[in-house]
Every structure is written in C-alpha cells, then in structure tokens.
Amino acid sequence: MEEKPLLTFNSSRALLDVLIRAGLITVLVLFCYDIFHPFLNVMLWSLILAVTLYPLNQMLGAKLGGRDGWAAVILVILGLVILMLPLSLLGASVADSVQTGIHAVENGQFEIPPPPANVENWPLIGAPLYGIWLHASQDLSWAFHQVAPHLKDWSKVALHQVAGVGTGIVVFILALIFAGLIMKNGERGQRTAVAITSRVSGPVRGPQIAELCTATIRAVAQGVVGIAFIQMLLIGVALVIMGIPAAGVLALLVLLLGIMQLPVLLITLPVVIYAFAQGGVSASTIIFAIWMIIAGLSDNVLKPMLLGRGVAVPMPVVLIGALGGMITSGIIGLFTGPVILAIGYELFIGWVYQPAEAVTPLTQTVEEHSP
C-alpha cells in the first residue's frame, strides 16, 4: 500500500517525459516543414516523374551496359528538348489570353464579333448557328457590361494564375532534372521507400504498401494525366500555329477534359468550325481539321497502351485531385494533385479492406499478464 504514491509519481514523470519528447519532435517537424515547404511541389513532381520514368530508365540503362546514370541524363535531355518548346508556346499563349481578357473587362471593350455571312449557308446547323452567333454579338456586350464591374475583382486572381503558368514551367524543368538524379540512384531509393513503409506498417505490409504506391503513381501518371498531357500538347501546339484566339486557355481545357475522361471533341469540334468560318476551305484549314480530329481521338490508341497498368483509381478521385491541386498549387497541381489523392485513396481502401489478422483479444492479453 505504501508503494502506490511512488508508482503514481513514476507514472506521472514518465508521462511528462513522453509529452515533452513529443512536443520537441512536433516543433522540429514544424520547423523542417516550414523550411522544406517552398520546395514541396518541385520534389513531389520530381518523385512522380522519377517513379513513372524509372522502368524506361532501366531499359535504356541495360542497353547502355548497365549505365543507369547516363540513361537518366539522356532521358532528362530528351524531355527538355521535346517538351520545352511546346510548353513555352502554350504558356505564352495563356498569359497573352488572360491579360487581354483582363484589359477587356477593365476597359469595357469585351465584344463578340458578328458571324461571317457564309455561316448561314452551312447545311443543317448553318441557319441556327448564324442566328445564335448574331444575337450574341449584338446583345451579349450589354449583358457583359452589366457584369463587368463585378468581375474586376477577379483580375488579380487571374494575373496570379498567369504568373503560375510561368512558375509551373520553371518547376517542370527543375523537377525533370531532380527526377534524373533520383533515377540515377533508383535502387537505393527503392530500398529506402521499402524501409520507411516497413517501419511504419511492419515488415509484412511495408513492401506491399511501397508496391501499391508505385503502381498507383504509374497508373495515374501514365494512364490518366499522361494521356491528357499528350493530347494537350498535340492540340495546343496546333491551335497556336493556326492562330486560334486563346489557344493556351483552350489547351488547358483539353487537359481538364482529358483528366475527366470526357471527349476532347467538345473543344476541337467548335474550334474546327471556327477555323472554317474564318479561313474558309483551304489546304491549311483541311490539314488543321484532320490533325485536330486525329489528336482528339488519340486517347483511344493511348489508353490501351498506358491505362490499366497497376491499379484502377475511380475517375472522381482523379478529377477532385486535379481541381483541388490546381486551386492549391496552380498549374503544376493539375499533375501532382491526382497522383497524391489517388495514393491516399488506395492506401485508405487497402486499409479498410485489409484481411483481419490473428489478433489476440485484449481481455486475453490482460489475463495472461495478470498475476
């Protein structure tokens, strides 16, 4: 009976020690996060690119005699050469389109031009399309003038998104370079990932979780975001070359539709009609129309090649990840958001449906340890 106060004192002291240690660890984690936060998007995008491209890096490294480092350098250089020109064109187009729209809203100069006369002679859709277009060109200006004062406050947000386009291109360059460094040390990184997940979830579940995360990243990055990104490049560059107004904005809409698994013909078909209405039937407009149709249907060829690898993530999860990522992280969030949310979804579902293991009941454990 006399040992109870001493036992209580020791228990309280042990609890206090645990709380102090937990507090110090929390403070350290917060400081580390605050320091690392500016580089978070870059490192996330680097890791996603590295995991996605690592099989290709291994294949190229085997052909180079096991030189994975040189294979990573070649992939990074090829990526920069192939992607930087289209991304620069689309980024400049987005910036010009948004700035022009902001100036039009602020100055009250927004208007829709009247339709060309030959639109009325188109079969089937010519007459109704001409009437709707003409009415919009005559009446929409007044309606927009009424709404314009309320939209001026959004100009700062739009300018911030324009700045985010340029930042996203810079982040992509840095992420691709860092991804090359990660791929160079791919085997060590894989062992580290397995060690971390094993430390968190145990030696049995740890390797499974690491494999699940890898499969999820590749499935979403290749089968969903990758296909949408390829379509955006194919269609966006053609829009810029053809001189279509707001080409960069339309390319971003193509990216969103691709992530949503909706047909991008919803964008390409009206653009083709607009091109024929402005330029008439010529060799350039016919080639443009054929290219847009092929690019719009390219997902039917790419999906069997890329989709279905690894795990199947519901499309609402991917869509919410894309929209939420864009809101929180700008343009780069369109790519990182779906992947991160898909990983969280798969881990949660895997935890929910994890088979019940042979766990000793709590009452039995207490009885075994009781004197």
Side-chain angles (χ1 to χ4, degrees), residues 21 29-31 50 89 138 181 190 211 236 239 250 256-257 277 279 282 327 336 346 350 368:
R21 292 171 186 172
V29 169
L30 291 176
F31 273 114
L89 291 175
Q138 294 175 349
L181 297 175
Q190 185 177 5
E211 184 179 355
L239 294 175
L250 292 175
L256 281 176
L257 289 179
S282 62
I327 293 173
T336 59
E346 289 296 331
E368 291 178 353

Side-chain angles (χ1 to χ4, degrees), residues 54 68 180-190:
Y54 187 63
D68 293 339
L181 297 175
I182 296 174
M183 288 187 293
K184 180 179 179 297
N185 303 286
E187 294 183 0
R188 185 189 305 173
Q190 185 177 5

Side-chain angles (χ1 to χ4, degrees), residues 165-226:
V165 173
T167 304
I169 295 176
V170 175
V171 168
F172 178 81
I173 297 175
L174 295 176
L176 192 57
I177 295 173
F178 288 138
L181 297 175
I182 296 174
M183 288 187 293
K184 180 179 179 297
N185 303 286
E187 294 183 0
R188 185 189 305 173
Q190 185 177 5
R191 291 194 301 268
T192 303
V194 172
I196 293 173
T197 53
S198 298
R199 181 66 175 172
V200 174
S201 302
V204 177
R205 287 282 296 167
Q208 298 175 359
I209 291 177
E211 184 179 355
L212 176 63
C213 292
T214 301
T216 303
I217 290 174
R218 288 175 183 163
V220 177
Q222 294 178 5
V224 180
V225 181

Side-chain angles (χ1 to χ4, degrees), residues 39-310:
F39 308 97
L40 184 60
N41 284 332
V42 178
M43 297 310 298
L44 284 176
W45 191 217
S46 302
L47 185 61
I48 292 170
L49 288 175
V51 172
T52 304
L53 298 176
Y54 187 63
L56 182 60
N57 181 79
Q58 284 185 312
M59 183 176 62
L60 182 59
K63 293 183 178 180
L64 295 176
R67 301 176 179 176
D68 293 339
W70 282 107
V73 172
I74 293 174
L75 286 179
V76 170
I77 294 175
L78 286 177
L80 293 176
V81 171
I82 294 174
L83 298 178
M84 285 319 301
L85 180 59
L87 290 178
S88 300
L89 291 175
L90 293 178
S93 177
V94 171
D96 293 340
S97 301
V98 175
Q99 288 179 351
T100 302
I102 290 173
H103 290 312
V105 170
E106 292 179 346
N107 299 328
Q109 298 174 348
F110 182 83
E111 59 181 10
I112 296 179
N118 60 351
V119 174
E120 192 174 8
N121 299 325
W122 290 358
L124 298 179
I125 63 172
L129 179 62
Y130 182 85
I132 295 174
W133 193 341
L134 182 63
H135 180 72
S137 66
Q138 294 175 349
D139 297 339
L140 190 61
S141 299
W142 177 85
F144 196 84
H145 282 307
Q146 303 298 319
V147 180
H150 304 285
L151 296 178
K152 288 184 178 180
D153 295 336
W154 292 90
S155 60
K156 296 181 180 179
V157 178
L159 286 175
H160 177 71
Q161 294 298 327
V162 170
V165 173
T167 304
I169 295 176
V170 175
V171 168
F172 178 81
I173 297 175
L174 295 176
L176 192 57
I177 295 173
F178 288 138
L181 297 175
I182 296 174
M183 288 187 293
K184 180 179 179 297
N185 303 286
E187 294 183 0
R188 185 189 305 173
Q190 185 177 5
R191 291 194 301 268
T192 303
V194 172
I196 293 173
T197 53
S198 298
R199 181 66 175 172
V200 174
S201 302
V204 177
R205 287 282 296 167
Q208 298 175 359
I209 291 177
E211 184 179 355
L212 176 63
C213 292
T214 301
T216 303
I217 290 174
R218 288 175 183 163
V220 177
Q222 294 178 5
V224 180
V225 181
I227 293 175
F229 183 70
I230 292 173
Q231 283 189 303
M232 180 194 71
L233 291 180
L234 294 175
I235 294 174
V237 172
L239 294 175
V240 173
I241 295 176
M242 197 64 183
I244 302 297
V249 177
L250 292 175
L252 289 179
L253 292 177
V254 169
L255 178 63
L256 281 176
L257 289 179
I259 293 176
M260 295 168 61
Q261 301 295 292
L262 294 177
V264 298
L265 290 176
L266 296 174
I267 300 294
T268 57
L269 189 59
V271 169
V272 169
I273 295 175
Y274 174 82
F276 277 110
Q278 295 296 319
V281 179
S282 62
S284 60
T285 54
I286 292 176
I287 294 174
F288 174 74
I290 294 174
W291 177 264
M292 294 293 284
I293 293 174
I294 294 176
L297 298 175
S298 61
D299 58 331
N300 296 318
V301 179
L302 295 173
K303 282 179 181 178
M305 298 170 56
L306 300 177
L307 193 60
R309 297 183 179 182

